[in-house]
PDB file of all heavy atoms in Angstrom:
ATOM      1  N   MET W 221     -17.649 -36.211  24.532  1.00 78.00           N
ATOM      2  CA  MET W 221     -18.023 -36.123  25.924  1.00 78.00           C
ATOM      3  C   MET W 221     -17.352 -34.880  26.530  1.00 78.00           C
ATOM      4  O   MET W 221     -16.175 -34.593  26.200  1.00 78.00           O
ATOM      5  CB  MET W 221     -17.618 -37.363  26.726  1.00 78.00           C
ATOM      6  CG  MET W 221     -17.658 -37.234  28.193  1.00 78.00           C
ATOM      7  SD  MET W 221     -19.287 -36.974  28.834  1.00 78.00           S
ATOM      8  CE  MET W 221     -19.728 -38.618  29.229  1.00 78.00           C
ATOM      9  N   VAL W 222     -18.032 -34.096  27.276  1.00 87.00           N
ATOM     10  CA  VAL W 222     -17.537 -32.894  27.937  1.00 87.00           C
ATOM     11  C   VAL W 222     -17.807 -33.132  29.391  1.00 87.00           C
ATOM     12  O   VAL W 222     -18.879 -33.582  29.817  1.00 87.00           O
ATOM     13  CB  VAL W 222     -18.200 -31.636  27.427  1.00 87.00           C
ATOM     14  CG1 VAL W 222     -17.693 -30.428  28.248  1.00 87.00           C
ATOM     15  CG2 VAL W 222     -17.941 -31.450  25.959  1.00 87.00           C
ATOM     16  N   GLY W 223     -16.818 -32.841  30.339  1.00 86.00           N
ATOM     17  CA  GLY W 223     -17.028 -33.064  31.742  1.00 86.00           C
ATOM     18  C   GLY W 223     -16.148 -32.270  32.619  1.00 86.00           C
ATOM     19  O   GLY W 223     -15.171 -31.628  32.189  1.00 86.00           O
ATOM     20  N   ASN W 224     -16.456 -32.323  33.913  1.00 86.00           N
ATOM     21  CA  ASN W 224     -15.682 -31.717  34.956  1.00 86.00           C
ATOM     22  C   ASN W 224     -15.545 -32.734  36.122  1.00 86.00           C
ATOM     23  O   ASN W 224     -16.363 -32.793  36.987  1.00 86.00           O
ATOM     24  CB  ASN W 224     -16.427 -30.441  35.459  1.00 86.00           C
ATOM     25  CG  ASN W 224     -15.701 -29.718  36.533  1.00 86.00           C
ATOM     26  OD1 ASN W 224     -14.584 -30.048  36.919  1.00 86.00           O
ATOM     27  ND2 ASN W 224     -16.337 -28.726  37.148  1.00 86.00           N
ATOM     28  N   PRO W 225     -14.514 -33.579  35.999  1.00 87.00           N
ATOM     29  CA  PRO W 225     -14.363 -34.651  37.021  1.00 87.00           C
ATOM     30  C   PRO W 225     -14.130 -34.079  38.417  1.00 87.00           C
ATOM     31  O   PRO W 225     -13.653 -32.977  38.558  1.00 87.00           O
ATOM     32  CB  PRO W 225     -13.140 -35.405  36.520  1.00 87.00           C
ATOM     33  CG  PRO W 225     -12.921 -34.997  35.151  1.00 87.00           C
ATOM     34  CD  PRO W 225     -13.539 -33.685  34.984  1.00 87.00           C
ATOM     35  N   PRO W 226     -14.524 -34.819  39.443  1.00 84.00           N
ATOM     36  CA  PRO W 226     -14.257 -34.314  40.795  1.00 84.00           C
ATOM     37  C   PRO W 226     -12.759 -34.339  41.106  1.00 84.00           C
ATOM     38  O   PRO W 226     -11.933 -35.041  40.484  1.00 84.00           O
ATOM     39  CB  PRO W 226     -14.988 -35.363  41.677  1.00 84.00           C
ATOM     40  CG  PRO W 226     -14.937 -36.609  40.829  1.00 84.00           C
ATOM     41  CD  PRO W 226     -15.075 -36.164  39.407  1.00 84.00           C
ATOM     42  N   LEU W 259      -7.311 -37.885  41.776  1.00 94.00           N
ATOM     43  CA  LEU W 259      -8.470 -38.615  41.243  1.00 94.00           C
ATOM     44  C   LEU W 259      -8.854 -38.253  39.775  1.00 94.00           C
ATOM     45  O   LEU W 259      -9.203 -39.095  39.020  1.00 94.00           O
ATOM     46  CB  LEU W 259      -9.704 -38.340  42.141  1.00 94.00           C
ATOM     47  CG  LEU W 259     -10.921 -39.198  41.889  1.00 94.00           C
ATOM     48  CD1 LEU W 259     -10.648 -40.680  42.085  1.00 94.00           C
ATOM     49  CD2 LEU W 259     -12.077 -38.757  42.750  1.00 94.00           C
ATOM     50  N   VAL W 260      -8.644 -37.026  39.388  1.00 95.00           N
ATOM     51  CA  VAL W 260      -8.898 -36.613  38.071  1.00 95.00           C
ATOM     52  C   VAL W 260      -8.187 -37.403  37.015  1.00 95.00           C
ATOM     53  O   VAL W 260      -8.742 -37.658  35.915  1.00 95.00           O
ATOM     54  CB  VAL W 260      -8.668 -35.054  37.885  1.00 95.00           C
ATOM     55  CG1 VAL W 260      -7.234 -34.745  37.907  1.00 95.00           C
ATOM     56  CG2 VAL W 260      -9.352 -34.557  36.626  1.00 95.00           C
ATOM     57  N   ALA W 261      -6.963 -37.855  37.291  1.00 96.00           N
ATOM     58  CA  ALA W 261      -6.277 -38.678  36.307  1.00 96.00           C
ATOM     59  C   ALA W 261      -6.971 -39.993  35.982  1.00 96.00           C
ATOM     60  O   ALA W 261      -7.032 -40.366  34.850  1.00 96.00           O
ATOM     61  CB  ALA W 261      -4.861 -38.994  36.807  1.00 96.00           C
ATOM     62  N   TYR W 262      -7.603 -40.595  36.993  1.00 95.00           N
ATOM     63  CA  TYR W 262      -8.366 -41.822  36.754  1.00 95.00           C
ATOM     64  C   TYR W 262      -9.649 -41.561  35.975  1.00 95.00           C
ATOM     65  O   TYR W 262     -10.066 -42.441  35.213  1.00 95.00           O
ATOM     66  CB  TYR W 262      -8.612 -42.457  38.093  1.00 95.00           C
ATOM     67  CG  TYR W 262      -7.347 -42.794  38.842  1.00 95.00           C
ATOM     68  CD1 TYR W 262      -6.965 -42.033  39.973  1.00 95.00           C
ATOM     69  CD2 TYR W 262      -6.533 -43.804  38.427  1.00 95.00           C
ATOM     70  CE1 TYR W 262      -5.743 -42.276  40.602  1.00 95.00           C
ATOM     71  CE2 TYR W 262      -5.301 -44.073  39.109  1.00 95.00           C
ATOM     72  CZ  TYR W 262      -4.946 -43.296  40.159  1.00 95.00           C
ATOM     73  OH  TYR W 262      -3.827 -43.507  40.881  1.00 95.00           O
ATOM     74  N   PHE W 263     -10.226 -40.392  36.135  1.00 95.00           N
ATOM     75  CA  PHE W 263     -11.388 -40.043  35.270  1.00 95.00           C
ATOM     76  C   PHE W 263     -10.964 -39.864  33.834  1.00 95.00           C
ATOM     77  O   PHE W 263     -11.747 -40.265  32.960  1.00 95.00           O
ATOM     78  CB  PHE W 263     -12.072 -38.772  35.839  1.00 95.00           C
ATOM     79  CG  PHE W 263     -13.072 -39.061  36.935  1.00 95.00           C
ATOM     80  CD1 PHE W 263     -12.740 -39.364  38.218  1.00 95.00           C
ATOM     81  CD2 PHE W 263     -14.434 -39.004  36.627  1.00 95.00           C
ATOM     82  CE1 PHE W 263     -13.623 -39.664  39.222  1.00 95.00           C
ATOM     83  CE2 PHE W 263     -15.461 -39.312  37.536  1.00 95.00           C
ATOM     84  CZ  PHE W 263     -14.999 -39.624  38.898  1.00 95.00           C
ATOM     85  N   PHE W 264      -9.835 -39.315  33.605  1.00 96.00           N
ATOM     86  CA  PHE W 264      -9.369 -39.261  32.246  1.00 96.00           C
ATOM     87  C   PHE W 264      -9.115 -40.647  31.641  1.00 96.00           C
ATOM     88  O   PHE W 264      -9.599 -40.938  30.525  1.00 96.00           O
ATOM     89  CB  PHE W 264      -7.992 -38.485  32.197  1.00 96.00           C
ATOM     90  CG  PHE W 264      -8.132 -36.946  32.018  1.00 96.00           C
ATOM     91  CD1 PHE W 264      -8.618 -36.184  33.046  1.00 96.00           C
ATOM     92  CD2 PHE W 264      -7.707 -36.386  30.866  1.00 96.00           C
ATOM     93  CE1 PHE W 264      -8.732 -34.823  32.906  1.00 96.00           C
ATOM     94  CE2 PHE W 264      -7.790 -34.951  30.660  1.00 96.00           C
ATOM     95  CZ  PHE W 264      -8.318 -34.204  31.750  1.00 96.00           C
ATOM     96  N   LEU W 265      -8.593 -41.536  32.421  1.00 96.00           N
ATOM     97  CA  LEU W 265      -8.319 -42.905  31.908  1.00 96.00           C
ATOM     98  C   LEU W 265      -9.700 -43.633  31.733  1.00 96.00           C
ATOM     99  O   LEU W 265      -9.833 -44.367  30.724  1.00 96.00           O
ATOM    100  CB  LEU W 265      -7.489 -43.666  32.948  1.00 96.00           C
ATOM    101  CG  LEU W 265      -6.026 -43.140  33.079  1.00 96.00           C
ATOM    102  CD1 LEU W 265      -5.333 -43.824  34.271  1.00 96.00           C
ATOM    103  CD2 LEU W 265      -5.268 -43.353  31.834  1.00 96.00           C
ATOM    104  N   HIS W 266     -10.567 -43.429  32.610  1.00 96.00           N
ATOM    105  CA  HIS W 266     -11.943 -44.105  32.459  1.00 96.00           C
ATOM    106  C   HIS W 266     -12.576 -43.549  31.174  1.00 96.00           C
ATOM    107  O   HIS W 266     -13.182 -44.344  30.432  1.00 96.00           O
ATOM    108  CB  HIS W 266     -12.819 -43.924  33.662  1.00 96.00           C
ATOM    109  CG  HIS W 266     -14.146 -44.636  33.583  1.00 96.00           C
ATOM    110  ND1 HIS W 266     -15.243 -43.973  33.160  1.00 96.00           N
ATOM    111  CD2 HIS W 266     -14.396 -45.922  33.800  1.00 96.00           C
ATOM    112  CE1 HIS W 266     -16.235 -44.865  33.120  1.00 96.00           C
ATOM    113  NE2 HIS W 266     -15.769 -46.047  33.490  1.00 96.00           N
ATOM    114  N   GLN W 267     -12.572 -42.265  30.990  1.00 96.00           N
ATOM    115  CA  GLN W 267     -13.246 -41.694  29.815  1.00 96.00           C
ATOM    116  C   GLN W 267     -12.661 -42.245  28.535  1.00 96.00           C
ATOM    117  O   GLN W 267     -13.335 -42.481  27.543  1.00 96.00           O
ATOM    118  CB  GLN W 267     -13.092 -40.144  29.840  1.00 96.00           C
ATOM    119  CG  GLN W 267     -13.967 -39.470  28.838  1.00 96.00           C
ATOM    120  CD  GLN W 267     -15.435 -39.758  29.048  1.00 96.00           C
ATOM    121  OE1 GLN W 267     -15.948 -39.814  30.190  1.00 96.00           O
ATOM    122  NE2 GLN W 267     -16.109 -40.101  27.963  1.00 96.00           N
ATOM    123  N   ALA W 268     -11.392 -42.508  28.562  1.00 96.00           N
ATOM    124  CA  ALA W 268     -10.705 -43.032  27.328  1.00 96.00           C
ATOM    125  C   ALA W 268     -11.177 -44.489  27.000  1.00 96.00           C
ATOM    126  O   ALA W 268     -11.080 -44.853  25.876  1.00 96.00           O
ATOM    127  CB  ALA W 268      -9.164 -43.039  27.557  1.00 96.00           C
ATOM    128  N   ILE W 270     -14.333 -45.372  27.316  1.00 95.00           N
ATOM    129  CA  ILE W 270     -15.731 -45.378  26.883  1.00 95.00           C
ATOM    130  C   ILE W 270     -16.059 -44.335  25.804  1.00 95.00           C
ATOM    131  O   ILE W 270     -17.180 -44.245  25.307  1.00 95.00           O
ATOM    132  CB  ILE W 270     -16.706 -45.169  28.031  1.00 95.00           C
ATOM    133  CG1 ILE W 270     -16.449 -43.800  28.737  1.00 95.00           C
ATOM    134  CG2 ILE W 270     -16.560 -46.321  29.011  1.00 95.00           C
ATOM    135  CD1 ILE W 270     -17.411 -43.435  29.749  1.00 95.00           C
ATOM    136  N   SER W 271     -14.984 -43.628  25.285  1.00 95.00           N
ATOM    137  CA  SER W 271     -15.269 -42.645  24.242  1.00 95.00           C
ATOM    138  C   SER W 271     -14.140 -42.577  23.262  1.00 95.00           C
ATOM    139  O   SER W 271     -13.095 -43.181  23.487  1.00 95.00           O
ATOM    140  CB  SER W 271     -15.556 -41.278  24.843  1.00 95.00           C
ATOM    141  OG  SER W 271     -14.359 -40.728  25.381  1.00 95.00           O
ATOM    142  N   SER W 273     -13.400 -39.350  21.996  1.00 96.00           N
ATOM    143  CA  SER W 273     -12.882 -37.960  22.259  1.00 96.00           C
ATOM    144  C   SER W 273     -13.580 -37.400  23.432  1.00 96.00           C
ATOM    145  O   SER W 273     -14.726 -37.777  23.737  1.00 96.00           O
ATOM    146  CB  SER W 273     -12.957 -37.134  20.994  1.00 96.00           C
ATOM    147  OG  SER W 273     -14.263 -36.929  20.637  1.00 96.00           O
ATOM    148  N   PHE W 274     -12.952 -36.422  24.067  1.00 96.00           N
ATOM    149  CA  PHE W 274     -13.581 -35.736  25.250  1.00 96.00           C
ATOM    150  C   PHE W 274     -12.817 -34.458  25.490  1.00 96.00           C
ATOM    151  O   PHE W 274     -11.717 -34.261  25.056  1.00 96.00           O
ATOM    152  CB  PHE W 274     -13.606 -36.664  26.501  1.00 96.00           C
ATOM    153  CG  PHE W 274     -12.248 -37.107  27.048  1.00 96.00           C
ATOM    154  CD1 PHE W 274     -11.613 -36.335  27.998  1.00 96.00           C
ATOM    155  CD2 PHE W 274     -11.691 -38.236  26.557  1.00 96.00           C
ATOM    156  CE1 PHE W 274     -10.415 -36.742  28.475  1.00 96.00           C
ATOM    157  CE2 PHE W 274     -10.390 -38.659  27.095  1.00 96.00           C
ATOM    158  CZ  PHE W 274      -9.826 -37.968  28.078  1.00 96.00           C
ATOM    159  N   GLY W 275     -13.538 -33.582  26.248  1.00 96.00           N
ATOM    160  CA  GLY W 275     -12.962 -32.363  26.773  1.00 96.00           C
ATOM    161  C   GLY W 275     -13.248 -32.320  28.280  1.00 96.00           C
ATOM    162  O   GLY W 275     -14.415 -32.483  28.646  1.00 96.00           O
ATOM    163  N   PHE W 276     -12.210 -32.122  29.083  1.00 96.00           N
ATOM    164  CA  PHE W 276     -12.459 -32.070  30.526  1.00 96.00           C
ATOM    165  C   PHE W 276     -11.881 -30.789  31.082  1.00 96.00           C
ATOM    166  O   PHE W 276     -10.805 -30.338  30.666  1.00 96.00           O
ATOM    167  CB  PHE W 276     -11.755 -33.217  31.201  1.00 96.00           C
ATOM    168  CG  PHE W 276     -12.474 -34.515  31.336  1.00 96.00           C
ATOM    169  CD1 PHE W 276     -11.935 -35.639  31.782  1.00 96.00           C
ATOM    170  CD2 PHE W 276     -13.860 -34.648  30.919  1.00 96.00           C
ATOM    171  CE1 PHE W 276     -12.621 -36.875  31.902  1.00 96.00           C
ATOM    172  CE2 PHE W 276     -14.551 -35.814  31.030  1.00 96.00           C
ATOM    173  CZ  PHE W 276     -13.981 -36.894  31.593  1.00 96.00           C
ATOM    174  N   LEU W 277     -12.612 -30.260  32.090  1.00 95.00           N
ATOM    175  CA  LEU W 277     -12.093 -29.177  32.905  1.00 95.00           C
ATOM    176  C   LEU W 277     -11.561 -29.851  34.192  1.00 95.00           C
ATOM    177  O   LEU W 277     -12.201 -30.713  34.757  1.00 95.00           O
ATOM    178  CB  LEU W 277     -13.308 -28.282  33.347  1.00 95.00           C
ATOM    179  CG  LEU W 277     -13.025 -27.185  34.322  1.00 95.00           C
ATOM    180  CD1 LEU W 277     -12.268 -26.109  33.576  1.00 95.00           C
ATOM    181  CD2 LEU W 277     -14.344 -26.706  34.886  1.00 95.00           C
ATOM    182  N   ALA W 278     -10.326 -29.536  34.487  1.00 95.00           N
ATOM    183  CA  ALA W 278      -9.641 -30.263  35.598  1.00 95.00           C
ATOM    184  C   ALA W 278      -8.807 -29.226  36.351  1.00 95.00           C
ATOM    185  O   ALA W 278      -8.586 -28.118  35.863  1.00 95.00           O
ATOM    186  CB  ALA W 278      -8.765 -31.382  35.109  1.00 95.00           C
ATOM    187  N   THR W 279      -8.269 -29.607  37.473  1.00 92.00           N
ATOM    188  CA  THR W 279      -7.286 -28.802  38.123  1.00 92.00           C
ATOM    189  C   THR W 279      -5.965 -28.816  37.301  1.00 92.00           C
ATOM    190  O   THR W 279      -5.781 -29.790  36.583  1.00 92.00           O
ATOM    191  CB  THR W 279      -6.977 -29.217  39.607  1.00 92.00           C
ATOM    192  OG1 THR W 279      -6.522 -30.581  39.542  1.00 92.00           O
ATOM    193  CG2 THR W 279      -8.224 -29.141  40.442  1.00 92.00           C
ATOM    194  N   ASN W 280      -5.150 -27.794  37.424  1.00 94.00           N
ATOM    195  CA  ASN W 280      -3.967 -27.800  36.568  1.00 94.00           C
ATOM    196  C   ASN W 280      -2.950 -28.905  36.949  1.00 94.00           C
ATOM    197  O   ASN W 280      -1.971 -29.140  36.225  1.00 94.00           O
ATOM    198  CB  ASN W 280      -3.289 -26.490  36.601  1.00 94.00           C
ATOM    199  CG  ASN W 280      -2.667 -26.071  37.898  1.00 94.00           C
ATOM    200  OD1 ASN W 280      -3.010 -26.661  38.975  1.00 94.00           O
ATOM    201  ND2 ASN W 280      -1.934 -25.036  37.979  1.00 94.00           N
ATOM    202  N   ILE W 282      -3.373 -31.877  36.431  1.00 96.00           N
ATOM    203  CA  ILE W 282      -3.477 -32.936  35.446  1.00 96.00           C
ATOM    204  C   ILE W 282      -2.193 -32.984  34.583  1.00 96.00           C
ATOM    205  O   ILE W 282      -1.816 -34.039  34.102  1.00 96.00           O
ATOM    206  CB  ILE W 282      -4.758 -32.754  34.562  1.00 96.00           C
ATOM    207  CG1 ILE W 282      -4.911 -34.025  33.659  1.00 96.00           C
ATOM    208  CG2 ILE W 282      -4.680 -31.514  33.684  1.00 96.00           C
ATOM    209  CD1 ILE W 282      -5.209 -35.294  34.429  1.00 96.00           C
ATOM    210  N   LEU W 292      -2.280 -38.440  31.670  1.00 96.00           N
ATOM    211  CA  LEU W 292      -2.039 -37.966  30.308  1.00 96.00           C
ATOM    212  C   LEU W 292      -0.891 -38.724  29.603  1.00 96.00           C
ATOM    213  O   LEU W 292      -1.074 -39.111  28.433  1.00 96.00           O
ATOM    214  CB  LEU W 292      -1.733 -36.491  30.327  1.00 96.00           C
ATOM    215  CG  LEU W 292      -2.844 -35.567  30.734  1.00 96.00           C
ATOM    216  CD1 LEU W 292      -2.393 -34.119  30.701  1.00 96.00           C
ATOM    217  CD2 LEU W 292      -4.080 -35.763  29.934  1.00 96.00           C
ATOM    218  N   LEU W 295      -2.264 -42.013  28.317  1.00 96.00           N
ATOM    219  CA  LEU W 295      -3.173 -41.837  27.135  1.00 96.00           C
ATOM    220  C   LEU W 295      -2.337 -41.529  25.896  1.00 96.00           C
ATOM    221  O   LEU W 295      -2.563 -42.083  24.863  1.00 96.00           O
ATOM    222  CB  LEU W 295      -4.122 -40.710  27.459  1.00 96.00           C
ATOM    223  CG  LEU W 295      -5.169 -41.077  28.538  1.00 96.00           C
ATOM    224  CD1 LEU W 295      -6.056 -39.916  28.857  1.00 96.00           C
ATOM    225  CD2 LEU W 295      -6.009 -42.347  28.184  1.00 96.00           C
ATOM    226  N   ILE W 302      -3.724 -34.911  22.496  1.00 97.00           N
ATOM    227  CA  ILE W 302      -4.266 -33.704  23.052  1.00 97.00           C
ATOM    228  C   ILE W 302      -4.205 -32.640  21.913  1.00 97.00           C
ATOM    229  O   ILE W 302      -3.184 -32.271  21.453  1.00 97.00           O
ATOM    230  CB  ILE W 302      -3.371 -33.188  24.237  1.00 97.00           C
ATOM    231  CG1 ILE W 302      -3.299 -34.244  25.315  1.00 97.00           C
ATOM    232  CG2 ILE W 302      -3.976 -31.852  24.806  1.00 97.00           C
ATOM    233  CD1 ILE W 302      -2.371 -33.915  26.468  1.00 97.00           C
ATOM    234  N   HIS W 303      -5.391 -32.253  21.457  1.00 97.00           N
ATOM    235  CA  HIS W 303      -5.447 -31.315  20.292  1.00 97.00           C
ATOM    236  C   HIS W 303      -5.741 -29.901  20.736  1.00 97.00           C
ATOM    237  O   HIS W 303      -5.601 -28.992  19.936  1.00 97.00           O
ATOM    238  CB  HIS W 303      -6.389 -31.785  19.202  1.00 97.00           C
ATOM    239  CG  HIS W 303      -7.774 -31.988  19.660  1.00 97.00           C
ATOM    240  ND1 HIS W 303      -8.698 -30.938  19.706  1.00 97.00           N
ATOM    241  CD2 HIS W 303      -8.383 -33.112  20.097  1.00 97.00           C
ATOM    242  CE1 HIS W 303      -9.854 -31.456  20.137  1.00 97.00           C
ATOM    243  NE2 HIS W 303      -9.721 -32.728  20.410  1.00 97.00           N
ATOM    244  N   ARG W 304      -6.191 -29.700  21.931  1.00 98.00           N
ATOM    245  CA  ARG W 304      -6.395 -28.356  22.458  1.00 98.00           C
ATOM    246  C   ARG W 304      -6.245 -28.375  24.001  1.00 98.00           C
ATOM    247  O   ARG W 304      -6.731 -29.291  24.600  1.00 98.00           O
ATOM    248  CB  ARG W 304      -7.791 -27.903  22.072  1.00 98.00           C
ATOM    249  CG  ARG W 304      -8.078 -26.426  22.491  1.00 98.00           C
ATOM    250  CD  ARG W 304      -9.428 -25.986  21.905  1.00 98.00           C
ATOM    251  NE  ARG W 304      -9.753 -24.699  22.436  1.00 98.00           N
ATOM    252  CZ  ARG W 304     -10.968 -24.194  22.531  1.00 98.00           C
ATOM    253  NH1 ARG W 304     -12.018 -24.996  22.122  1.00 98.00           N
ATOM    254  NH2 ARG W 304     -11.212 -23.020  22.998  1.00 98.00           N
ATOM    255  N   ALA W 305      -5.611 -27.361  24.514  1.00 98.00           N
ATOM    256  CA  ALA W 305      -5.533 -27.258  26.030  1.00 98.00           C
ATOM    257  C   ALA W 305      -5.247 -25.812  26.432  1.00 98.00           C
ATOM    258  O   ALA W 305      -4.679 -25.028  25.687  1.00 98.00           O
ATOM    259  CB  ALA W 305      -4.331 -28.138  26.473  1.00 98.00           C
ATOM    260  N   VAL W 306      -5.759 -25.552  27.577  1.00 97.00           N
ATOM    261  CA  VAL W 306      -5.434 -24.375  28.325  1.00 97.00           C
ATOM    262  C   VAL W 306      -4.708 -24.900  29.529  1.00 97.00           C
ATOM    263  O   VAL W 306      -5.337 -25.561  30.419  1.00 97.00           O
ATOM    264  CB  VAL W 306      -6.665 -23.499  28.770  1.00 97.00           C
ATOM    265  CG1 VAL W 306      -6.246 -22.348  29.637  1.00 97.00           C
ATOM    266  CG2 VAL W 306      -7.425 -23.052  27.489  1.00 97.00           C
ATOM    267  N   ILE W 319      -6.943 -24.027  37.154  1.00 95.00           N
ATOM    268  CA  ILE W 319      -7.612 -25.075  36.407  1.00 95.00           C
ATOM    269  C   ILE W 319      -6.924 -25.255  35.035  1.00 95.00           C
ATOM    270  O   ILE W 319      -6.164 -24.384  34.575  1.00 95.00           O
ATOM    271  CB  ILE W 319      -9.088 -24.850  36.161  1.00 95.00           C
ATOM    272  CG1 ILE W 319      -9.330 -23.506  35.334  1.00 95.00           C
ATOM    273  CG2 ILE W 319      -9.863 -24.836  37.471  1.00 95.00           C
ATOM    274  CD1 ILE W 319     -10.700 -23.425  34.765  1.00 95.00           C
ATOM    275  N   ALA W 320      -7.141 -26.445  34.401  1.00 96.00           N
ATOM    276  CA  ALA W 320      -6.708 -26.678  33.077  1.00 96.00           C
ATOM    277  C   ALA W 320      -7.926 -27.184  32.246  1.00 96.00           C
ATOM    278  O   ALA W 320      -8.814 -27.745  32.864  1.00 96.00           O
ATOM    279  CB  ALA W 320      -5.627 -27.716  33.019  1.00 96.00           C
ATOM    280  N   LYS W 321      -7.902 -26.954  30.999  1.00 97.00           N
ATOM    281  CA  LYS W 321      -8.916 -27.474  30.079  1.00 97.00           C
ATOM    282  C   LYS W 321      -8.204 -28.287  29.092  1.00 97.00           C
ATOM    283  O   LYS W 321      -7.214 -27.833  28.466  1.00 97.00           O
ATOM    284  CB  LYS W 321      -9.665 -26.271  29.406  1.00 97.00           C
ATOM    285  CG  LYS W 321     -10.343 -25.342  30.395  1.00 97.00           C
ATOM    286  CD  LYS W 321     -10.863 -24.108  29.646  1.00 97.00           C
ATOM    287  CE  LYS W 321     -11.315 -23.096  30.655  1.00 97.00           C
ATOM    288  NZ  LYS W 321     -11.630 -21.763  30.006  1.00 97.00           N
ATOM    289  N   VAL W 322      -8.654 -29.532  28.870  1.00 98.00           N
ATOM    290  CA  VAL W 322      -7.947 -30.455  27.989  1.00 98.00           C
ATOM    291  C   VAL W 322      -8.939 -31.109  27.074  1.00 98.00           C
ATOM    292  O   VAL W 322      -9.953 -31.710  27.534  1.00 98.00           O
ATOM    293  CB  VAL W 322      -7.212 -31.505  28.814  1.00 98.00           C
ATOM    294  CG1 VAL W 322      -6.452 -32.497  27.881  1.00 98.00           C
ATOM    295  CG2 VAL W 322      -6.276 -30.851  29.773  1.00 98.00           C
ATOM    296  N   TRP W 323      -8.676 -31.042  25.813  1.00 97.00           N
ATOM    297  CA  TRP W 323      -9.467 -31.808  24.765  1.00 97.00           C
ATOM    298  C   TRP W 323      -8.593 -32.850  24.157  1.00 97.00           C
ATOM    299  O   TRP W 323      -7.478 -32.600  23.699  1.00 97.00           O
ATOM    300  CB  TRP W 323      -9.914 -30.788  23.662  1.00 97.00           C
ATOM    301  CG  TRP W 323     -10.925 -29.840  24.083  1.00 97.00           C
ATOM    302  CD1 TRP W 323     -12.245 -29.857  23.937  1.00 97.00           C
ATOM    303  CD2 TRP W 323     -10.673 -28.572  24.750  1.00 97.00           C
ATOM    304  NE1 TRP W 323     -12.879 -28.723  24.376  1.00 97.00           N
ATOM    305  CE2 TRP W 323     -11.928 -27.843  24.897  1.00 97.00           C
ATOM    306  CE3 TRP W 323      -9.529 -27.901  25.251  1.00 97.00           C
ATOM    307  CZ2 TRP W 323     -12.067 -26.661  25.515  1.00 97.00           C
ATOM    308  CZ3 TRP W 323      -9.662 -26.658  25.810  1.00 97.00           C
ATOM    309  CH2 TRP W 323     -10.918 -26.036  25.960  1.00 97.00           C
ATOM    310  N   MET W 324      -9.048 -34.060  24.123  1.00 97.00           N
ATOM    311  CA  MET W 324      -8.332 -35.236  23.550  1.00 97.00           C
ATOM    312  C   MET W 324      -9.152 -35.979  22.595  1.00 97.00           C
ATOM    313  O   MET W 324     -10.343 -36.050  22.686  1.00 97.00           O
ATOM    314  CB  MET W 324      -7.881 -36.116  24.722  1.00 97.00           C
ATOM    315  CG  MET W 324      -7.036 -35.424  25.747  1.00 97.00           C
ATOM    316  SD  MET W 324      -6.407 -36.634  26.962  1.00 97.00           S
ATOM    317  CE  MET W 324      -5.027 -37.301  26.002  1.00 97.00           C
ATOM    318  N   LEU W 347       1.330 -30.638  29.408  1.00 96.00           N
ATOM    319  CA  LEU W 347       0.527 -29.551  28.820  1.00 96.00           C
ATOM    320  C   LEU W 347       1.534 -28.408  28.416  1.00 96.00           C
ATOM    321  O   LEU W 347       1.281 -27.257  28.519  1.00 96.00           O
ATOM    322  CB  LEU W 347      -0.529 -29.007  29.767  1.00 96.00           C
ATOM    323  CG  LEU W 347      -1.643 -30.016  30.072  1.00 96.00           C
ATOM    324  CD1 LEU W 347      -2.669 -29.418  30.969  1.00 96.00           C
ATOM    325  CD2 LEU W 347      -2.243 -30.679  28.865  1.00 96.00           C
TER     326      LEU W 347
END
Side-chain angles (χ1 to χ4, degrees):
M221 170 61 99
V222 176
N224 180 8
L259 186 61
V260 70
Y262 301 105
F263 272 76
F264 272 69
L265 293 171
H266 183 262
Q267 192 60 43
I270 61 173
S271 69
S273 62
F274 62 91
F276 273 174
L277 175 74
T279 60
N280 66 347
I282 192 63
L292 296 180
L295 293 175
I302 302 171
H303 58 86
R304 183 174 174 204
V306 175
I319 61 163
K321 301 171 190 174
V322 181
W323 290 261
M324 301 187 77
L347 300 181

